[in-house]
Amino acid sequence: MIKPWLQAARLRTLPLSISGILVGSVVAAFQQQFNVWVFVGCLFTTVGLQVLSNFANDYGDGIRGTDNEDRVGPQRAIQSGAITPKQMKIAMVLTGVITFIVALLTIYAAFGDHQFGLALLFVLLGVASIVAAVKYTVGKSAYGYSGFGDVFVFLFFGLLSVMGSYFLYTKSIYMPLWLPAISMGLLSATVLNLNNMRDHINDKASNKNTLVVKWGIEKAKKYHRTLIVVAMISMVVFTLLNGAQIGHWIYLPTFKPLLKHLKFVRENKEEKAFDPELKKVALGTFFMALLFGVGLLFW
């Protein structure tokens, strides 16, 4: 019974979800303001949010009938019957509660008994993150069905992930950090757009109006290219502003597979062929964040 749950959790999305935490954390460590408990708490919180979002997506698309025999991607848990909608709802509640508890512990590790106002702000952000993870495809006003999924991913797995984790360490805002935060957000949106390009025919038939459905596949490919190019430029500009020592550039090799990916997307005509690219971009983003951190901390 554990295999369907692992499939529903979509483990291949988890490296992407922690990329923003890595970036915010290594910059804080570079500035000698690291807290191991905050780091562990941030990692578990963002993984919890990602799993919750994946469960909610499986549930929402499953009960709406969006996941059907015409869907191009891997078969979902509710679609296959391996997990019932009731079981998935229970899993969503448990995941949400556990994630919120971990978030509270992380906030306490960062602020202790002091700075109540800041602690309360992060509690509210935690609640907002959980609600947003669920409302992507669940409910009558599910924003994933109106083309706003990209905004959620950009904000929560990019800006909030990087800037929020950094703030938990330092209690301050480092303005240049907005650049890699934008990069992580855009690359996260890239993965979602790739997913939506794969599923756009079935999504259109199911009235799931993603940006790809609204714009069409060719405009979606141009949007895809813009996301990746701006993400790479933002990383480069941050490195230039941060001193541009030789070791700080060791993340640049991760640009090559992204550029190769863009060539593939431009030429590809088969929706199913987009699916293997999801893992490539997600892992590419993770290794970009990881090498970015290594360059900062060890050179």
Side-chain angles (χ1 to χ4, degrees):
M1 270 300 289
I2 193 172
K3 185 178 180 180
W5 290 107
L6 292 176
Q7 291 174 337
R10 296 183 222 170
L11 300 184
R12 67 178 180 175
T13 65
L14 300 188
L16 177 69
S17 69
I18 67 175
S19 298
I21 301 298
L22 287 178
V23 170
S25 298
V26 297
V27 173
F30 177 72
Q31 298 175 349
Q32 299 183 338
Q33 299 189 71
F34 185 76
N35 181 321
V36 66
W37 295 113
V38 170
F39 178 63
V40 171
C42 285
L43 285 181
F44 277 97
T45 299
T46 196
V47 167
L49 288 171
Q50 182 66 65
V51 171
L52 175 61
S53 179
N54 291 340
F55 283 170
N57 188 238
D58 199 306
Y59 175 81
D61 284 347
I63 63 173
R64 286 172 180 264
T66 305
D67 290 339
N68 54 51
E69 64 277 4
D70 296 324
R71 185 174 176 272
V72 176
Q75 193 174 51
R76 299 279 180 78
I78 290 179
Q79 175 192 2
S80 67
I83 298 173
T84 67
K86 183 178 180 179
Q87 289 173 324
M88 189 63 80
K89 283 185 72 173
I90 294 172
M92 288 164 56
V93 171
L94 289 175
T95 304
V97 169
I98 292 171
T99 300
F100 185 62
I101 291 172
V102 173
L104 290 178
L105 292 173
T106 306
I107 293 167
Y108 182 78
F111 299 112
D113 297 324
H114 310 293
Q115 299 175 298
F116 176 78
L118 290 174
L120 179 60
L121 172 62
F122 272 83
V123 170
L124 295 176
L125 287 172
V127 172
S129 299
I130 290 172
V131 171
V134 173
K135 291 292 290 181
Y136 174 53
T137 57
V138 176
K140 294 181 179 179
S141 57
Y143 59 87
Y145 279 73
S146 302
F148 291 104
D150 300 60
V151 176
F152 159 75
V153 167
F154 176 75
L155 290 176
F156 286 89
F157 289 102
L159 302 189
L160 181 59
S161 181
V162 176
M163 300 304 295
S165 60
Y166 176 84
F167 192 91
L168 287 172
Y169 296 112
T170 66
K171 319 303 183 291
S172 65
I173 299 288
Y174 179 47
M175 295 306 293
L177 189 59
W178 285 107
L179 290 165
I182 288 171
S183 294
M184 294 298 105
L186 292 177
L187 290 171
S188 296
T190 296
V191 174
L192 178 60
N193 187 59
L194 193 58
N195 181 86
N196 291 340
M197 285 195 290
R198 180 197 66 192
D199 295 339
H200 76 100
I201 294 176
N202 187 58
D203 284 345
K204 184 175 183 179
S206 303
N207 294 316
K208 187 176 183 180
N209 293 312
T210 64
L211 291 182
V212 183
V213 172
K214 290 183 175 183
W215 292 343
I217 192 69
E218 291 306 317
K219 285 186 178 179
K221 287 183 176 183
K222 293 178 181 178
Y223 167 64
H224 198 79
R225 181 170 63 248
T226 301
L227 291 174
I228 290 179
V229 171
V230 174
M232 292 190 294
I233 290 173
S234 295
M235 291 293 290
V236 169
V237 173
F238 174 83
T239 304
L240 291 172
L241 293 175
N242 202 49
Q245 297 183 38
I246 292 177
H248 292 177
W249 295 102
I250 67 168
Y251 65 83
L252 283 180
T254 62
F255 284 9
K256 184 177 179 179
L258 286 175
L259 292 172
K260 185 178 179 181
H261 164 75
L262 282 181
K263 182 176 183 294
F264 170 82
V265 169
R266 184 178 70 250
E267 298 174 352
N268 181 50
K269 302 296 183 181
E270 184 182 355
E271 286 75 20
K272 190 175 182 179
F274 285 124
D275 191 65
E277 297 297 304
L278 288 164
K279 184 177 180 180
K280 295 178 184 178
V281 177
L283 287 177
T285 303
F286 171 75
F287 283 113
M288 181 188 296
L290 187 64
L291 290 175
F292 169 82
V294 171
L296 277 184
L297 296 180
F298 297 101
W299 272 273

